[in-house]
Amino acid sequence: MKDLSELQLPEDILYAKDHEWAKPEGDKVRVGISDYAQDQLGDIVFVELPQVGIRLGKGEQFGTIESVKAVSEMYMPLGGEVLSVNKTLEDSPELVNKHPYEAGWILDIKPSDPEELRTLMNRDAYLGFLKGLKS
């Protein structure tokens, strides 16, 4: 397991308490799981992707991610319509381990209420949250 100081936590990304991340990109928001989450899971072997076109509310489960250690649910960091999913993960789920914020992204959504982005944590707040989990 990585030490907190070793985690990649980009400044331009927002984080949820369930360890999903959200990155606004114009009218859409790209979503994935944080470096902390993928590190805790270990080697990822399967990612269950949602259907394109479904609408989910903030906090609703959108899929599961399976590692050699466990199966974990993934939750919407904000509500919206699923615009696209990262089909590459079907054949290469390990991309979530290698590049959680780039090639390992999971889905793009059109937010139903962009104001929900304000409920997410910036890098410093998320790091503080993680430190609280470790103590």
Side-chain angles (χ1 to χ4, degrees):
M1 301 269 177
K2 293 181 182 178
D3 186 72
L4 291 182
S5 63
E6 299 173 286
L7 293 174
Q8 295 177 48
L9 298 172
E11 294 276 350
D12 62 340
I13 286 179
L14 299 168
Y15 303 89
K17 288 183 177 177
D18 292 319
H19 309 291
E20 287 78 21
W21 57 262
K23 182 179 182 185
E25 297 179 343
D27 291 344
K28 71 177 182 178
V29 175
R30 180 151 282 181
V31 174
I33 67 165
S34 72
D35 191 28
Y36 173 82
Q38 73 76 23
D39 184 58
Q40 294 294 305
L41 283 167
D43 294 335
I44 293 169
V45 295
F46 179 74
V47 179
E48 176 195 22
L49 301 168
Q51 280 189 300
V52 172
I54 66 167
R55 295 178 187 273
L56 296 164
K58 177 182 167 114
E60 284 192 79
Q61 183 178 330
F62 68 79
T64 58
I65 191 160
E66 185 176 338
S67 73
V68 294
K69 291 199 272 183
V71 176
S72 295
E73 292 79 26
M74 297 180 290
Y75 300 98
M76 294 287 283
L78 64 159
E81 177 185 351
V82 177
L83 297 175
S84 62
V85 296
N86 187 352
K87 292 274 192 192
T88 307
L89 298 179
E90 291 175 348
D91 294 323
S92 302
E94 71 279 359
L95 288 173
V96 176
N97 291 119
K98 293 177 185 172
H99 306 288
Y101 305 107
E102 295 90 25
W105 65 276
I106 296 171
L107 56 102
D108 287 329
I109 61 172
K110 179 177 182 171
S112 49
D113 180 4
E115 289 296 309
E116 286 182 336
L117 285 166
R118 295 176 187 257
T119 66
L120 300 175
M121 295 176 274
N122 65 18
R123 180 192 188 280
D124 292 340
Y126 184 60
L127 193 54
F129 173 73
L130 294 176
K131 286 177 182 171
L133 295 178
K134 293 284 189 186
S135 57

